[in-house]
Amino acid sequence: MDSLRIELGISPLSSLEVEQVLTAMRTVWQPPSWIKRQSCGSAWLLMLRHETAPKPGENPNWFAEKLVAAIWLAIGRYACITLDIETSQKDEPCLLMFSEEDYQRILRDFRFSHSNIRS
């Protein structure tokens, strides 16, 4: 069976936004198996890891955009998100870094389609 191994880093976040991100993750995906919160002054860095089987026909890039859209919608603003996706296939790992330009593009695609994010 194919699997996805995900490592996700999100910053800067407030302590309330950390909880909003975790709630969004549980809503659109599933609870991560590993969570680390690291404070940096008054901001937080949230790091997550999880391994799961992808849904049939789910493309890792589309999955990544769905996940970051859910996070940005949950906190209501841009935050830097780095996502490392490995598959159990022989594919190369995929390191994605989402910028403010990505924020505008992705939210334009997902903002009116919450059902796309939760499916």
Side-chain angles (χ1 to χ4, degrees):
M1 177 187 279
D2 194 18
S3 69
L4 293 173
R5 286 175 294 284
I6 311 288
E7 289 192 28
L8 182 69
I10 309 147
S11 70
L13 297 170
S14 69
S15 57
L16 174 61
E17 289 172 332
V18 167
E19 298 309 316
Q20 291 170 325
V21 167
L22 293 172
T23 298
M25 294 289 291
R26 288 188 289 270
T27 300
V28 300
W29 187 33
Q30 50 192 270
S33 57
W34 182 86
I35 300 169
K36 181 175 181 185
R37 299 166 178 91
Q38 182 173 333
S39 70
C40 186
S42 62
W44 289 85
L45 166 63
L46 179 62
M47 295 167 280
L48 309 167
R49 287 189 199 139
H50 196 67
E51 183 170 349
T52 189
K55 292 181 180 177
E58 193 166 59
N59 169 316
N61 287 329
W62 185 86
F63 171 79
E65 289 188 2
K66 176 178 88 166
L67 209 51
V68 298
I71 292 167
W72 287 331
L73 287 169
I75 64 173
R77 67 172 183 85
Y78 169 77
C80 181
I81 299 176
T82 303
L83 185 62
D84 188 4
I85 301 176
E86 288 185 44
T87 64
S88 57
Q89 305 294 329
K90 303 239 186 241
D91 301 334
E92 290 292 316
C94 180
L95 179 63
L96 302 167
M97 296 161 75
F98 293 93
S99 67
E100 288 190 61
E101 289 176 4
D102 297 314
Y103 173 77
Q104 294 168 7
R105 177 184 57 79
I106 291 169
L107 285 190
R108 188 173 44 246
D109 294 342
F110 282 98
R111 77 176 155 202
F112 296 120
S113 57
H114 290 275
S115 60
N116 271 350
I117 294 175
R118 289 191 173 95
S119 59

